[in-house]
Amino acid sequence: MGSDSNNLLNEITQSDYKYGFVTDIETEYAPLGLSEDTVRYISAKKNEPEFMLEYRLKAYRRWLEMPAPEWAHLKIPPIDFQSIYFYAAPKKKKELSSLDEVDPELLATFEKLGISLDEQKRLSGVAVDAVIDSVSVKTTFSETLAKHGIIFCSFSDALQNHPDLVKQYMGSVVPYADNYFSALNSAVFSDGSFAFIPKGVRCPIELSTYFRINAANTGQFERTLIIAEEGAYVSYMEGCTAPMRDENQLHAAVVEIIALKDAEVKYSTVQNWYPGNKKGEGGIYNFVTKRGICKGAGSKISWTQVETGSAITWKYPSCILLGDNSVGEFYSVAVTNNHQQADTGSKMIHLGNNTKSTIISKGISAGFSNNSYRGLVKISKRAENSRNFSQCDSLLLGDKCGAHTFPYIETANKSSIVEHEATTSKISDDQLFYCQQRGIDMESAIGLIVNGYAKEVLNKLPMEFAVEAQKLLSISLEGSVG
Amino acid sequence: MLLQIKNLHASIQGKEILKGVNLEVNRGEVHAIMGPNGTGKSTLASVIAGRDIYEVTAGEVVFNSLNLLDMPVEQRAREGIFLGFQYPVEIPGVSISNFLRTALNDIRKYKGLEPMPATEFLAKMEEKKKLVEIHSKLTNRSVNEGFSGGEKKKNEIFQMAMLEPILSILDETDSGLDIDALRIVAGGVNSLRSEKNATIVITHYQRLLEYIVPDFVHVLYEGRIIKSGGKELALELEEKGYDWLKNGG
Amino acid sequence: MILSDITNFDQIFRENLKTIGRRDTEIVSEYRADALNHLLRLGLPTSSNERWRNTDISKALQTDYSIFFEDFQDQLKPEDYFTCEVAGLDTWLITLLNGWYTFKNSPLRILPSGTIIGSLSRAMVECPELVENHLGKAADNSENAFTAMNSAFATDGFFIYVPDGVEVTKTIQMVNVVSHTDPIFVQTRNLVILGKNSKLRLAHCDDSHNHNPGFTNSVTEIIMAENSNLDHYKLQNINDHSTLINNTYIHQEAGSKCTTNALSLHGGFIRNEIFVKLNGRESSVDVYGLYLMDKKQAVDNYVFIDHAAADCTSTEMFKGILDDYAHAVFNGHILVRKDSQRTIAYQSNRNILLTDKAQINSKPFLEIYADDVKCSHGATVGQLDTNAMFYLRSRGISEDNARLLLMYAFAAEIINKISIESLRDRLDDMVKKRLRGELSICDQCVLHCKTPDKPIEFEIDLSKV
């Protein structure tokens, strides 16, 4: 990032959450609540193959037997699953075949969010899959990508057009019974993105999905599946926002990544779901299972996340390092302000020889929030010469918030090396005085210092995201001083 | 008159450090404040800059006809006060160029000016870097992080050059410098001297004053200025130490 | 009795209440009953309990143990069943055999300074107020089943009281020996009270005398008044079939200073739980630990430090070397409460695995609610520093010797914290033996060798490595 970008901090004078508007579009809903009928309704609505319905029903039945997890350092109010719409979609007039046929109201919504769906208008080479509530409304650049043999489409389209690929890989990294929220997602997921990069292909542009919750009382349950074949490379970005509403809304996604021999997948997230108001009312419950497997030798999966939104975040992007010499990375900045709660981190499971993993986590807590890092580094008996380095730093702004670190280290191999370091501190008075003495006001000084603190992670983001993320960091902390 | 300090008393955690300081500084002048360790030199610099760990219990500080003691730190800076720190703090991840651009534009905004265009800013940086012989890569590094003693002090003078203050207070700028760095730092300060601005140099060695020649020299002892004179006073102090002043006052 | 069935405890408590509580004051009696309720509510821990996630206690609970609520032993001299393996350790020795205080002629001694040393059950009779005012002040029955069990059932243990301003010059050595023909379940309760400005050095040893399985569930409460000073060591040296749960609760008031050092040398299963509450300003605690395990031994250290006051400092450093199939667990938890500003807390756990069968689970955990703090932690598992290895080998040292030297240096950091010279020398010697694999060879003696080994001569200054 250049020196220029930080200047953006000073331009920001808007209200706290600028994506809080609601688009007035006609929406059709599944019947309220959750039952086998809901699951069947969603599957029928999407005209899914039989195997998919069976998978959903198995997951649903399993979910019914599972208790909600309580181990995280979070206070999660009970969720009434019968008062949520599990499927909501903007009403279509007819099948879409070109951009002209997308509801102009929807196009305007995405324009307002800074996401242009018009390929002509896009300056940078980023292909976008735009998901609103339960459906994908438009995937850009699909045709361009198809020339390289790359499949990038909505999950629903993938089920229609590439059912074998979906059947082969879906649930192979995150089984439906993996946890409470993955089971729920497997039963009721509605849409999401699918990317397949064939052998030897370097994806020429960034792929991205933009998730938007619009309808009230609606949960969003998206599903993303990324497959990189031998020697393939892809960089994938995910962004998300939601309107400001007084009630809490549920978001439970599953992301699966499969990297075959020598493949590399870079997955970046800027999570900015509505965090709730200053009193802690409303906001998104963000319960996400993200996991990748480095299946082939020499493969690499890298997660980068900037988490600023959501009332509650529960999320542990993980890597299973199965192939020899495979590499897993996790870079995270998590900011919590007001009454937000975040429990996030990563799991690195070393199974292959000479596997390497890096975890860099920067937590920033302000207001009355609680921010926890939770991570697991596991070195199995047969993972010879494996290495992990973890660094988890916490920054506290104010004396009513909390910062916690829960690293789990499990090693059963003598030739491996695991190192974990963590610090917790506050912005020093000396740093603030130094900035102020140069004429910088307190809030900008904090923005500057926090951005500097998070720089190691922000640097890992693609350019398109980095500037956005910097702005977000400062906005999220507005009003946290005093 | 640019700066007028009258009967300034300041304390930290109930302990009085400044016990009635009087000082007048005009534009175009360089003042040196000398004295043994622990007599309040750095406290005086911090109080002028507005560090809130010190409590001003009496007296006044008037700068450019403004009551300085009423202002928060950043406003004093924007009015033209610059403090060159004795121990510049590290700010990890924040590059010098980023830092200075934020500072410069905050000051411009205060004065009702538009932010400085990027090209102009870069050109200005290039120009000022030469002044203190800073190599070009330094400004991409995080503020003071991993800097050597000399680099830190050069960086302070570089910032002073960029921000163009009216009154610069240089707190022990010579400490920890080898002779080459001292020459460069002093050279930077001298080239910034003009009829419009003023400088207060705080030091307890006469050495720096060979390079930055002061118009006035003051001796601060136990919270008061006990003697003032011309540049020859510094030489006298070098020769005799401070003891001869302590008794007679 | 089989420990795993929680209802057994209810029944046994009712059947033996008259014996268990025959010396209880009213307050202590209520305390017992309350503890039993907590125990029945909590049940025994399983691996689904976060604090027991990596340690399976169920096997030890399956053994059929004998349990005694009345002293069944004749008077014995300590030397009949205990030989201190630390040569030349000059201490004031007090002993428990299978949980009962052995000096029956003088169960409670009051020194001229007012210091009281002896049996807890006797102290309940002779100085009930001291016991009532302090028993249960630091230990928490509501969250820990083994502590609750101990509070409900324990009948004897050590009692030490140091009055205000008194400095006890001689180290007090408390030894608990388990030796019985059948598997035995022993619960000991120790209470140590330090008055204002007092000073004490305490060595707390757990030993077994034969190879029969034993299960010791011991709770030690240490109450430290303002500006008191404690130097505390735990030496654990029990046989491969024995289980030891050692819960230590330290309550510190303002200005007090405590160093505690857990040295686990041998044992079937050892669980140390150390709870420190820094309750007054400017108190400080250093918690050190060293574990050297082999065969199928397991050691589990749980350390909780509660920064409940401002301006306190805590340092935690645990190191382990694991051989064969040994398994070690470290759980550190530092809590910095909301108003505990200017806290400095440091936590570290470092491990070396010597085989691929050995295993370590480490969880250093920080929970922080105050903003003006300096907290850091680190954990490593790994091999020896390759640069240091190279350095040593370039000086002509064989690879094996170089490894030995570096492992020794690794452990020496903890050993050097020991302020009692004879203890430090002995530990030093034991570590060298362990590193050369000799401890396993003389397994039959459970470390009761009398002559310390000749020191290894180092030609280079290890501190520079």
Side-chain angles (χ1 to χ4, degrees):
Chain A
M1 266 167 296
S3 57
D4 301 11
S5 47
N6 213 295
N7 194 39
L8 292 161
L9 293 174
N10 306 317
E11 297 167 11
I12 296 147
T13 48
Q14 289 115 318
S15 67
D16 309 19
Y17 191 76
K18 67 171 178 174
Y19 308 103
F21 63 90
V22 181
T23 311
D24 187 14
I25 37 172
E26 236 187 307
T27 305
E28 69 173 326
Y29 296 94
L32 190 67
L34 182 54
S35 65
E36 275 202 21
D37 290 344
T38 321
V39 176
R40 288 176 195 280
Y41 173 93
I42 295 168
S43 192
K45 200 80 199 161
K46 306 184 90 65
N47 191 26
E48 287 177 349
E50 186 60 27
F51 81 87
M52 201 64 249
L53 176 64
E54 272 166 30
Y55 184 88
R56 285 176 182 278
L57 288 171
K58 262 195 295 185
Y60 175 68
R61 286 169 196 146
R62 188 61 216 276
W63 177 77
L64 286 174
E65 297 164 4
M66 295 170 97
E70 285 171 357
W71 43 261
H73 194 93
L74 298 170
K75 289 193 185 93
I76 307 175
I79 299 166
D80 179 5
F81 290 97
Q82 299 312 329
S83 66
I84 297 172
Y85 289 107
F86 283 81
Y87 183 86
K91 264 191 186 155
K92 293 182 208 171
K93 291 173 188 106
K94 54 180 174 170
E95 281 303 304
L96 297 176
S97 58
S98 81
L99 190 64
D100 308 333
E101 295 170 36
V102 177
D103 187 337
E105 194 63 39
L106 284 178
L107 285 181
T109 300
F110 281 97
E111 289 284 351
K112 203 166 166 186
L113 295 168
I115 312 292
S116 174
L117 299 181
D118 187 341
E119 290 177 19
Q120 307 301 319
K121 280 192 191 166
R122 292 195 66 88
L123 297 170
S124 52
V126 181
V128 182
D129 182 21
V131 177
I132 191 155
D133 296 328
S134 304
V135 293
S136 167
V137 291
K138 173 69 188 169
T139 309
T140 62
F141 290 105
S142 286
E143 295 80 16
T144 322
L145 290 166
K147 285 178 201 150
H148 296 270
I150 296 167
I151 306 167
F152 179 50
C153 60
S154 71
F155 204 92
S156 310
D157 288 350
L159 263 176
Q160 300 302 323
N161 303 327
H162 312 281
D164 292 347
L165 279 175
V166 175
K167 199 172 175 181
Q168 185 185 349
Y169 289 108
M170 181 182 173
S172 70
V173 193
V174 181
Y176 64 83
D178 186 77
N179 66 69
Y180 186 75
F181 296 110
S182 72
L184 177 65
N185 175 286
S186 300
V188 302
F189 76 88
S190 40
D191 215 338
S193 300
F194 177 87
F196 175 84
I197 324 297
K199 189 173 170 180
V201 172
R202 243 189 113 77
C203 185
I205 54 176
E206 306 267 350
L207 303 187
S208 85
T209 305
Y210 196 90
F211 295 102
R212 171 78 179 167
I213 296 179
N214 187 57
N217 300 321
T218 304
Q220 190 175 56
F221 306 92
E222 89 264 1
R223 187 100 197 176
T224 298
L225 181 56
I226 299 170
I227 303 146
E229 282 199 326
E230 188 176 334
Y233 166 85
V234 64
S235 168
Y236 183 93
M237 308 186 291
E238 175 201 274
C240 31
T241 58
M244 284 155 53
R245 294 186 189 280
D246 292 339
E247 82 273 14
N248 297 105
Q249 282 182 281
L250 180 61
H251 171 252
V254 170
V255 175
E256 294 179 279
I257 300 176
I258 295 105
L260 302 183
K261 188 170 178 289
D262 296 323
E264 183 179 348
V265 178
K266 204 170 139 70
Y267 193 106
S268 313
T269 307
V270 172
Q271 186 265 106
N272 187 26
W273 294 116
Y274 176 53
N277 66 14
K278 288 199 163 48
K279 290 184 213 149
E281 296 158 344
I284 302 292
Y285 293 161
N286 188 33
F287 303 132
V288 175
T289 307
K290 290 184 169 176
R291 194 177 301 152
I293 182 164
C294 287
K295 216 167 181 176
S299 55
K300 178 176 176 182
I301 293 176
S302 178
W303 299 98
T304 306
Q305 62 174 26
V306 176
E307 303 280 318
T308 59
S310 299
I312 303 177
T313 297
W314 180 100
K315 173 178 177 188
Y316 316 92
S318 305
C319 297
I320 300 167
L321 303 170
L322 180 64
D324 290 349
N325 303 306
S326 60
V327 177
E329 294 175 338
F330 174 75
Y331 301 99
S332 170
V333 175
V335 182
T336 52
N337 196 359
N338 300 319
H339 291 269
Q340 280 178 276
Q341 305 177 63
D343 194 299
T344 183
S346 181
K347 285 192 266 189
M348 294 291 173
I349 315 290
H350 292 255
L351 300 173
N353 292 330
N354 305 313
T355 46
K356 281 198 184 68
S357 64
T358 306
I359 294 175
I360 307 286
S361 164
K362 305 272 183 179
I364 299 150
S365 330
F368 297 88
S369 69
N370 269 297
N371 197 329
S372 304
Y373 166 82
R374 184 184 304 276
L376 168 69
V377 174
K378 190 181 172 93
I379 313 276
S380 75
K381 263 188 186 66
R382 55 193 188 84
E384 293 289 328
N385 297 314
S386 294
R387 277 170 186 259
N388 162 267
F389 175 75
S390 304
Q391 183 167 343
C392 308
D393 295 328
S394 307
L395 195 63
L396 288 148
L397 307 177
D399 57 4
K400 293 182 177 61
C401 50
H404 319 297
T405 318
F406 302 78
Y408 293 75
I409 298 161
E410 301 182 357
T411 313
N413 181 293
K414 67 166 176 171
S415 61
S416 58
I417 300 179
V418 178
E419 286 176 87
H420 171 94
E421 286 173 15
T423 61
T424 301
S425 53
K426 64 167 196 164
I427 294 177
S428 79
D429 292 340
D430 288 340
Q431 286 175 331
L432 278 180
F433 179 62
Y434 193 84
C435 292
Q436 286 176 281
Q437 207 298 308
R438 299 300 186 248
I440 302 170
D441 69 42
M442 178 97 116
E443 272 204 357
S444 311
I446 288 172
L448 200 63
I449 294 166
V450 166
N451 263 309
Y453 165 82
K455 192 168 188 178
E456 206 179 340
V457 174
L458 298 179
N459 277 347
K460 301 285 174 187
L461 287 172
M463 267 307 286
E464 290 79 3
F465 259 27
V467 176
E468 177 76 15
Q470 284 198 331
K471 275 206 243 179
L472 264 179
L473 279 191
S474 303
I475 298 177
S476 305
L477 291 169
E478 263 176 24
S480 66
V481 195
Chain B
M1 194 175 304
L2 182 62
L3 178 75
Q4 186 171 37
I5 300 174
K6 278 192 217 160
N7 188 33
L8 184 65
H9 289 253
S11 55
I12 182 165
Q13 288 172 341
K15 190 183 175 225
E16 188 164 65
I17 309 285
L18 300 183
K19 300 171 181 170
V21 174
N22 293 293
L23 183 68
E24 292 181 355
V25 178
N26 291 303
R27 286 180 193 263
E29 294 174 352
V30 172
H31 290 243
I33 295 178
M34 303 184 72
N37 280 330
T39 56
K41 300 190 301 291
S42 289
T43 301
L44 178 62
S46 294
V47 169
I48 297 171
R51 184 99 218 231
D52 62 2
I53 55 173
Y54 296 99
E55 193 193 349
V56 175
T57 49
E60 58 177 317
V61 181
V62 177
F63 174 72
N64 226 353
S65 313
L66 298 164
N67 181 358
L68 210 55
L69 297 178
D70 285 347
M71 295 180 194
V73 187
E74 63 267 31
Q75 197 184 344
R76 298 184 199 198
R78 290 166 189 176
E79 288 291 348
I81 293 206
F82 179 89
L83 175 62
F85 286 74
Q86 183 177 6
Y87 303 109
V89 67
E90 295 184 359
I91 310 181
V94 178
S95 70
I96 293 178
S97 53
N98 202 345
F99 176 75
L100 273 175
R101 189 149 180 223
T102 309
L104 199 71
N105 285 335
D106 272 9
I107 294 169
R108 288 174 69 96
K109 191 171 157 194
Y110 178 76
K111 293 178 177 163
L113 300 169
E114 288 295 305
M116 184 179 275
T119 47
E120 193 182 324
F121 175 78
L122 287 172
K124 183 167 179 160
M125 280 223 301
E126 285 313 309
E127 179 203 331
K128 303 294 184 188
K129 272 185 205 169
K130 288 184 194 124
L131 202 69
V132 279
E133 299 177 30
I134 281 184
H135 57 83
S136 56
K137 280 182 185 157
L138 195 75
T139 46
N140 293 329
R141 281 170 54 186
S142 299
V143 178
N144 295 322
E145 196 182 32
F147 283 22
S148 68
E151 283 172 330
K152 280 186 183 172
K153 295 300 168 71
K154 279 195 214 172
N155 182 26
E156 292 295 290
I157 304 303
F158 170 61
Q159 291 180 31
M160 172 179 154
M162 287 295 290
L163 299 178
E164 297 170 336
I166 302 169
L167 175 68
S168 303
I169 304 158
L170 306 177
D171 188 7
E172 305 276 1
T173 296
D174 50 333
S175 68
L177 292 188
D178 62 32
I179 198 73
D180 288 331
L182 183 66
R183 182 185 49 75
I184 293 167
V185 164
V189 174
N190 287 331
S191 65
L192 295 169
R193 275 173 92 157
S194 80
E195 286 307 308
K196 290 184 188 138
N197 60 30
T199 309
I200 298 174
V201 180
I202 292 172
T203 181
H204 58 272
Y205 295 114
Q206 194 267 336
R207 187 178 73 155
L208 178 68
L209 304 181
E210 287 174 16
Y211 295 92
I212 304 173
V213 181
D215 302 301
F216 301 94
V217 174
H218 311 274
V219 178
L220 188 66
Y221 182 71
E222 288 187 348
R224 280 190 200 91
I225 287 175
I226 55 167
K227 189 162 181 72
S228 298
K231 62 186 172 199
E232 64 288 347
L233 178 59
L235 289 166
E236 205 174 346
L237 289 167
E238 180 82 357
E239 201 177 306
K240 298 184 185 170
Y242 293 104
D243 286 344
W244 63 283
L245 284 168
K246 287 179 191 172
N247 303 322
Chain C
M1 136 183 209
I2 307 285
L3 304 178
S4 57
D5 184 354
I6 193 85
T7 55
N8 283 346
F9 287 94
D10 193 25
Q11 194 192 340
I12 287 185
F13 188 79
R14 283 171 213 296
E15 284 171 7
N16 298 283
L17 186 57
K18 278 203 177 120
T19 325
I20 296 168
R22 69 186 183 283
R23 290 193 187 83
D24 289 359
T25 64
E26 203 175 321
I27 290 175
V28 174
S29 167
E30 280 169 21
Y31 181 68
R32 274 190 203 284
D34 182 55
L36 182 77
N37 287 336
H38 282 301
L39 171 65
L40 297 176
R41 175 181 56 82
L42 291 164
L44 291 161
T46 64
S47 58
S48 64
N49 182 308
E50 179 64 24
R51 284 190 192 172
W52 289 83
R53 191 169 175 261
N54 302 108
T55 295
D56 185 8
I57 187 82
S58 64
K59 210 175 142 207
L61 298 173
Q62 290 303 329
T63 309
D64 191 0
Y65 294 101
S66 305
I67 182 163
F68 299 92
F69 297 110
E70 247 175 313
D71 194 354
F72 58 98
Q73 297 157 150
D74 297 330
Q75 181 163 3
L76 289 163
K77 288 184 202 139
E79 51 269 32
D80 294 341
Y81 53 86
F82 173 71
T83 317
C84 181
E85 66 258 21
V86 183
L89 183 58
D90 181 23
T91 62
W92 191 305
L93 180 71
I94 49 177
T95 53
L96 294 176
L97 178 60
N98 296 323
W100 300 97
Y101 199 69
T102 49
F103 301 87
K104 300 217 164 46
N105 292 334
S106 55
L108 207 62
R109 302 189 57 169
I110 302 176
L111 309 183
S113 64
T115 302
I116 306 172
I117 301 170
S119 139
L120 179 66
S121 72
R122 190 69 191 179
M124 267 198 259
V125 179
E126 289 190 27
C127 38
E129 280 192 7
L130 271 179
V131 176
E132 280 182 351
N133 288 341
H134 296 93
L135 188 77
K137 187 175 174 184
D140 181 5
N141 293 324
S142 68
E143 281 191 19
N144 190 311
F146 283 104
T147 299
M149 190 192 293
N150 181 289
S151 299
F153 289 93
T155 42
D156 204 357
F158 296 111
F159 176 80
I160 297 170
Y161 168 71
V162 186
D164 290 357
V166 172
E167 197 169 310
V168 181
T169 45
K170 204 170 186 176
T171 303
I172 296 181
Q173 186 180 11
M174 324 190 292
V175 180
N176 179 39
V177 179
V178 174
S179 175
H180 197 249
T181 46
D182 309 316
I184 187 171
F185 183 56
V186 173
Q187 302 205 67
T188 60
R189 180 71 170 225
N190 310 312
L191 182 58
V192 178
I193 304 163
L194 277 84
K196 289 175 189 166
N197 301 302
S198 67
K199 197 169 176 184
L200 177 68
R201 191 147 71 178
L202 197 60
H204 182 180
C205 312
D206 279 290
D207 278 54
S208 10
H209 188 240
N210 59 24
H211 287 271
N212 292 324
F215 191 129
T216 304
N217 175 30
S218 128
V219 171
T220 304
E221 289 185 274
I222 300 173
I223 317 287
M224 298 178 67
E226 285 82 356
N227 301 313
S228 57
N229 189 309
L230 174 69
D231 197 4
H232 178 234
Y233 299 91
K234 280 193 290 201
L235 266 112
Q236 301 170 329
N237 202 11
I238 56 171
N239 71 43
D240 283 341
H241 312 287
S242 285
T243 302
L244 170 64
I245 293 180
N246 190 322
N247 293 354
T248 306
Y249 294 84
I250 302 173
H251 180 97
Q252 292 187 240
E253 289 301 340
S256 61
K257 189 173 182 338
C258 175
T259 302
T260 174
N261 208 324
L263 304 156
S264 307
L265 302 170
H266 202 280
F269 169 75
I270 296 175
R271 165 96 170 184
N272 286 309
E273 299 201 8
I274 302 166
F275 299 82
V276 182
K277 183 163 192 178
L278 296 167
N279 200 50
R281 292 175 82 103
E282 294 179 7
S283 52
S284 75
V285 66
D286 294 330
V287 186
Y288 302 120
L290 179 68
Y291 40 94
L292 305 169
M293 296 283 147
D294 65 1
K295 288 168 286 182
K296 284 191 162 176
Q297 302 180 7
V299 62
D300 181 339
N301 283 295
Y302 178 89
V303 184
F304 178 76
I305 297 180
D306 182 355
H307 280 264
D311 300 297
C312 295
T313 303
S314 66
T315 307
E316 236 175 276
M317 195 197 299
F318 276 74
K319 287 193 162 190
I321 300 177
L322 304 176
D323 206 344
D324 300 336
Y325 292 83
H327 180 199
V329 178
F330 174 80
N331 273 284
H333 183 170
I334 291 176
L335 170 65
V336 181
R337 292 182 190 267
K338 196 170 143 269
D339 296 316
S340 303
Q341 298 295 8
R342 297 171 300 284
T343 288
I344 298 173
Y346 172 77
Q347 185 185 48
S348 135
N349 174 229
R350 311 216 174 276
N351 298 280
I352 290 179
L353 299 184
L354 297 179
T355 69
D356 283 351
K357 304 287 191 286
Q359 204 184 327
I360 169 77
N361 300 93
S362 177
K363 194 188 129 199
F365 163 35
L366 301 173
E367 184 180 9
I368 294 164
Y369 298 96
D371 64 336
D372 191 358
V373 295
K374 279 191 194 129
C375 297
S376 66
H377 70 188
T380 59
V381 183
Q383 304 156 290
L384 299 165
D385 182 348
T386 48
N387 291 330
M389 278 293 284
F390 177 75
Y391 178 84
L392 293 179
R393 292 174 65 193
S394 74
R395 296 289 181 271
I397 299 170
S398 74
E399 191 173 341
D400 283 353
N401 272 338
R403 183 169 292 121
L404 194 78
L405 284 175
L406 289 177
M407 282 194 287
Y408 172 76
F410 175 81
E413 195 182 355
I414 301 289
I415 296 169
N416 289 338
K417 306 278 185 196
I418 299 171
S419 64
I420 307 170
E421 194 180 341
S422 51
L423 183 61
R424 188 173 60 235
D425 291 348
R426 179 62 185 142
L427 253 299
D428 196 76
D429 175 54
M430 282 178 172
V431 169
K432 285 169 194 162
K433 277 206 168 115
R434 159 69 81 214
L435 296 177
R436 286 199 299 254
E438 290 171 12
L439 277 191
S440 298
I441 300 165
C442 41
D443 173 43
Q444 287 310 307
C445 71
V446 198
L447 292 174
H448 289 142
C449 39
K450 287 194 174 134
T451 48
D453 192 40
K454 273 191 288 178
I456 304 180
E457 297 293 335
F458 295 129
E459 288 168 10
I460 49 164
D461 183 357
L462 279 175
S463 62
K464 289 183 183 149
V465 175

